[in-house]
Amino acid sequence: MYTKKEVKTSPFSDQKPGTSGLRKPVTTFKKPHYLENFIQSIFDTMEGGVKGKQLVVGGDGRYYNKRAIQIIIKMAAANGVSLLKVGRDGLLSTPATSHIIRKYGLSGGIILSASHNPGGPQGDFGVKFNIENGGPAPEKVTSRIFERSLEIDRYFIAQGPDVDLEKAGAETRVLDTVVEVIDPVSDYANLMEELFDFEEIRRLFASGFTMLYDALHAVTGIYAREIFVNRLGASEESLRNCTPLPDFGGGHPDPNLKYAAELVQEMFSDNAPDFGAASDGDGDRNMILGRKFFVTPSDSLAIISSNHACAPGYKEGLKGVARSMPTSCAVDHVAKDLNIPCFETPTGWKFFGNLLDADMITLCGEESFGTGSNHIREKDGIWAVLFWLNILAVKRQPVSELTRNHWLRYGRNYYTRHDFEEVDRDGAIRLMKHLEGQLASLSGTEINGRKVEIADNFCYHDPVDGSQSCNQGIRIIFEDGSRIVFRLSGTGTKGATIRIYIEGYTRDKDRMNEDTQSFLSPLIQLSRELSKIKEFTGRQEPSVIT
Ligand code: VG1
Ligand code: CO
C-alpha cells in the first residue's frame, strides 16, 4: 500500500530554531518542501541515525497540525523509524510529549506548536524537537539541525493513504513503521496523581472551593476535563474554552493579563471564584489568579518552592532551584532560606535540561508564565495549577493571603515585563548595540540614587557540560536588588520584539501592597532613557505589560 520515495529539494536559509523550535507563519510552512526539509534535517542529524528509532509526534491542534502530522508520519516511515507514537487526533501537549518520551524510553519527539503565538491560516506554526531526556533539543543539537538544513538536497517520504488518528490504541503499518495512536491524556494524568495529593484536592472542591480554568481553546482543554472534572470533582462550570480549535477561537493562546482578558475580568469581578488559571497553546505555560488577585509567575515559582512539602511528590525536599535570568529574584530568597543552590540560566527551557538530568535542581521556572520540575523536561501548565491546588488544599487560605504572607517573610520583588512587539528589526538591533556600548561606563556609577552593581551582557556557563551561551540579554543590576534587563525575543515571527524586564525589591512591611507599575515607575522611566527606545523604534509605549 505504501511506497518509499526520494524527493529532490533545495535548502531554505531561514530554518534556524529560536528560543523554542522553528516558528514561522503558516504561509511559510505551507511552501513546498519547507516542512519536509526541516523534518529531514532533524532525522539526518539524529545521533546514530534515525533508522530503527522510536519517536512520538503530536501538537497543540492549531491550523495545519493535522496535515503536518500526516507528512511527518510518512517521512518517519520512509526514514526507517521503527515505532511512531501519535497523539489521538494529532493532539499532545508539550509536557505530555515530554512525559511520553521518558516513560517509554523513546529517542525523541516532535511537537507541532508555535506555543502562545496565534493560529489559523494567517497565524503561526512551529516545530519543536525534543531529545531522549524528554527536553527541548539543546543548542548543540539545534545548530546541527540548522547546518544540515542549509545543505539538504533530498528527503524521504512514503506515498500512500493518510493514517486514521481517531482511535487511541489503533496501530497501522506504514512501510516497516508501526504507527500507534495513543490517548494523549491518560499517562500524563496518571503521573499527576503520583505527584499530588488528589484526595486532599478532591476534599477542597467538595468543600465548595470554586475555580475557573481557561484553556483559551488550546490543547489543555482535554487535560483539564479529565483531571479537574473527572478525577478531582471540580464542576463542569470550572472549565472555560476547553475545546481545542484550529484558530484558538481567533484569540491569542497566551495566558497573561492581556490575552486571557475574559478570565481576568471574571477573576476581578465581585462574584469571582476562589481560584483562576489558564494555559497557552501547547500547555506548557500557566497563569495563576486568586479572587481579585494576580500572582506573578516569578512569585509563583517562589511560593511553590517555599511550600513544596505540601505535595507528596516533593516531600523529600528540593535539591536546588533555577530560574531564567530575567525572572525575578523572588525564588533566590527561598533558596537561601532552604539552604539549597539557586541557578540562573538564559531564557528558554532547554537550559534547565542539564541541571535537571544531573539532579542538581528539583524546581525551575521563567517569568514568562513557565513553571516546572524534574518530573519531565518541559515547563508544565497543568502541573503548576495542580501544585497550587495542592497547596491551597493543605493551607485552606485565599491565594492573596498566601502570597502576602510570602512577601512578609521573604520581601517582595515587584516585577513587570514590558514588550514592544513587532518593532523594526534594524532599530531593535541598534538599540541593543547602543545599550551594549554603555555597559562599561555604567558599572559602579550611581543613577538616581541607585548604585549599579553589575552592568553586562549575560553569559551562561553550564556547570554540567561546561558549554557557554553568551549574548543572552543586557542586565543592569543595582545594589538595592533592583534590576533592568533588555533582550530580544527569539519566538516572534514578525519584525522584532524588545522585552524590558523591570524589578524592584523591598522588605519594608509598609510597602508590600503597592501598585506594581507605580512602585517601579522610576525604573521604568530609566529603562526608556537608557535604551533610547523612542529614538530607535519610534515607540514609547509597550504593546503588552505583564
Ligand atoms: C519566550 C519566553 C521564554 C520561553 C519561550 C518559549 O521566549 O520569553 O521564557 O521559554 O518563549 O515558551 P522569547 O525568546 O520570545 O522571549 V513556549 O510556551 O513557546 O514553549
Ligand atoms: Co508554550
Side-chain angles (χ1 to χ4, degrees):
M1 189 152 63
Y2 291 94
T3 52
K4 175 176 163 173
K5 192 176 165 201
E6 179 177 334
V7 180
K8 295 275 164 248
T9 188
S10 44
F12 293 92
S13 60
D14 64 346
Q15 297 196 323
K16 189 177 169 58
T19 312
S20 176
L22 181 68
R23 226 169 264 197
K24 300 281 173 197
V26 166
T27 46
T28 302
F29 266 103
K30 275 182 150 179
K31 284 188 207 163
H33 311 308
Y34 194 88
L35 172 69
E36 291 86 342
N37 275 18
F38 189 67
I39 298 294
Q40 190 66 50
S41 301
I42 294 174
F43 289 163
D44 285 349
T45 49
M46 273 183 77
E47 212 129 345
V50 67
K51 197 163 190 288
K53 293 264 155 74
Q54 305 192 336
L55 302 174
V56 57
V57 63
D60 64 10
R62 67 179 59 226
Y63 178 80
Y64 205 53
N65 194 137
K66 287 198 162 151
R67 188 72 224 111
I69 288 245
Q70 295 293 341
I71 292 171
I72 292 167
I73 291 173
K74 290 172 191 174
M75 288 187 67
N79 279 278
V81 167
S82 64
L83 171 70
L84 184 66
K85 289 180 183 279
V86 189
R88 187 185 57 230
D89 292 327
L91 294 178
L92 262 179
S93 74
T94 289
T97 310
S98 183
H99 177 52
I100 297 281
I101 295 171
R102 295 169 66 77
K103 174 161 185 189
Y104 296 101
L106 309 181
S107 299
I110 293 172
I111 302 164
L112 303 177
S113 174
S115 192
H116 51 285
N117 298 25
Q122 301 310 318
D124 287 338
F125 193 73
V127 178
K128 306 199 264 190
F129 175 59
N130 283 26
I131 58 170
E132 74 276 358
N133 75 349
E139 287 198 319
K140 59 176 192 291
V141 176
T142 53
S143 314
R144 274 208 308 268
I145 296 170
F146 176 53
E147 278 155 30
R148 178 65 192 147
S149 78
L150 293 174
E151 55 187 32
I152 194 156
D153 59 359
R154 56 94 188 99
Y155 60 84
F156 302 104
I157 189 159
Q159 296 211 294
D162 282 355
V163 174
D164 190 345
L165 302 177
E166 273 174 31
K167 265 201 208 75
E171 281 190 11
T172 311
R173 238 170 211 282
V174 180
L175 299 172
D176 291 328
T177 306
V178 174
V179 178
E180 181 198 348
V181 181
I182 58 168
D183 175 347
V185 179
S186 56
D187 280 326
Y188 176 83
N190 295 343
L191 174 66
M192 294 301 115
E193 287 213 41
E194 283 168 29
L195 299 173
F196 300 111
D197 192 340
F198 272 41
E199 280 289 310
E200 194 71 55
I201 303 174
R202 257 195 296 273
R203 276 200 286 277
L204 178 71
F205 281 119
S207 75
F209 177 90
T210 50
M211 125 163 153
L212 190 54
Y213 177 81
D214 194 338
L216 301 173
H217 283 304
V219 77
T220 56
I222 56 174
Y223 297 86
R225 172 156 287 112
E226 171 62 16
I227 295 171
F228 301 137
V229 177
N230 297 352
R231 299 198 188 192
L232 289 170
S235 71
E236 184 66 31
E237 292 74 63
S238 313
L239 305 182
R240 184 66 52 84
N241 302 324
C242 278
T243 306
L245 296 175
D247 67 346
F248 308 118
H252 208 124
D254 200 353
N256 61 33
L257 295 174
K258 176 167 179 177
Y259 294 120
E262 195 187 321
L263 171 72
V264 172
Q265 203 184 3
E266 208 147 328
M267 290 305 299
F268 280 82
S269 73
D270 284 339
N271 41 19
D274 298 305
F275 181 68
S279 286
D280 70 333
D282 59 330
D284 53 1
R285 296 187 177 205
N286 73 92
M287 173 166 68
I288 300 295
L289 299 159
R291 184 177 285 159
K292 297 192 180 182
F293 198 84
F294 165 65
V295 184
T296 70
S298 300
D299 277 346
S300 176
L301 173 65
I303 291 167
I304 287 176
S305 301
S306 146
N307 293 286
H308 65 271
C310 291
Y314 303 87
K315 271 214 157 65
E316 307 284 287
L318 308 178
K319 285 280 163 62
V321 291
R323 60 163 173 84
S324 68
M325 180 274 281
T327 302
S328 101
C329 301
V331 74
D332 303 35
H333 303 294
V334 178
K336 203 164 164 213
D337 184 54
L338 293 171
N339 201 17
I340 53 171
C342 177
F343 298 88
E344 184 175 40
T345 58
T347 293
W349 211 260
K350 59 191 171 205
F351 293 103
F352 294 131
N354 281 345
L355 294 168
L356 289 164
D357 283 350
D359 208 17
M360 291 161 77
I361 58 170
T362 309
L363 300 174
C364 47
E366 296 189 278
E367 49 64 41
S368 55
F369 298 84
T371 334
S373 87
N374 59 355
H375 68 295
I376 52 170
R377 293 295 177 271
E378 286 279 5
K379 53 189 184 277
D380 190 343
I382 297 265
W383 170 91
V385 175
L386 285 167
F387 216 133
W388 268 90
L389 286 172
N390 198 151
I391 293 169
L392 296 174
V394 172
K395 301 263 164 179
R396 302 284 169 137
Q397 269 175 344
V399 172
S400 54
E401 194 181 309
L402 192 83
T403 308
R404 289 204 170 97
N405 287 344
H406 183 91
W407 294 336
L408 287 173
R409 179 161 173 200
Y410 297 99
R412 178 170 177 190
N413 293 73
Y414 281 91
Y415 186 83
T416 189
R417 184 176 105 184
H418 288 198
D419 291 336
F420 294 76
E421 295 174 311
E422 296 183 22
V423 301
D424 172 61
R425 179 156 275 281
D426 291 342
I429 292 169
R430 281 192 285 123
L431 176 147
M432 293 301 285
K433 287 226 173 80
H434 161 74
L435 281 168
E436 179 118 43
Q438 291 189 79
L439 291 175
S441 63
L442 279 174
S443 289
T445 56
E446 201 175 286
I447 313 174
N448 304 342
R450 287 190 164 90
K451 184 132 192 258
V452 178
E453 192 181 349
I454 299 171
D456 68 359
N457 190 335
F458 181 58
C459 191
Y460 179 59
H461 306 267
D462 188 312
V464 180
D465 68 9
S467 63
Q468 262 202 33
S469 303
C470 292
N471 202 24
Q472 297 294 329
I474 302 285
R475 23 171 226 179
I476 299 163
I477 305 175
F478 300 91
E479 277 184 358
D480 64 358
S482 46
R483 304 191 305 161
I484 306 176
V485 172
F486 302 85
R487 59 179 284 281
L488 297 186
S489 156
T491 57
T493 57
K494 287 186 206 94
T497 292
I498 300 167
R499 302 203 196 283
I500 307 183
Y501 312 79
I502 299 143
E503 174 176 4
Y505 179 65
T506 181
R507 293 201 78 101
D508 183 344
K509 295 201 172 4
D510 296 325
R511 298 207 62 188
M512 289 295 157
N513 296 306
E514 292 181 26
D515 172 71
T516 298
Q517 300 302 317
S518 38
F519 185 95
L520 295 173
S521 72
L523 289 162
I524 294 171
Q525 182 61 29
L526 180 59
S527 77
R528 305 292 193 267
E529 286 161 19
L530 287 174
S531 63
K532 297 204 170 134
I533 194 152
K534 180 89 196 286
E535 207 169 296
F536 284 112
T537 67
R539 294 255 294 270
Q540 179 77 18
E541 294 308 319
S543 35
V544 183
I545 297 181
T546 45

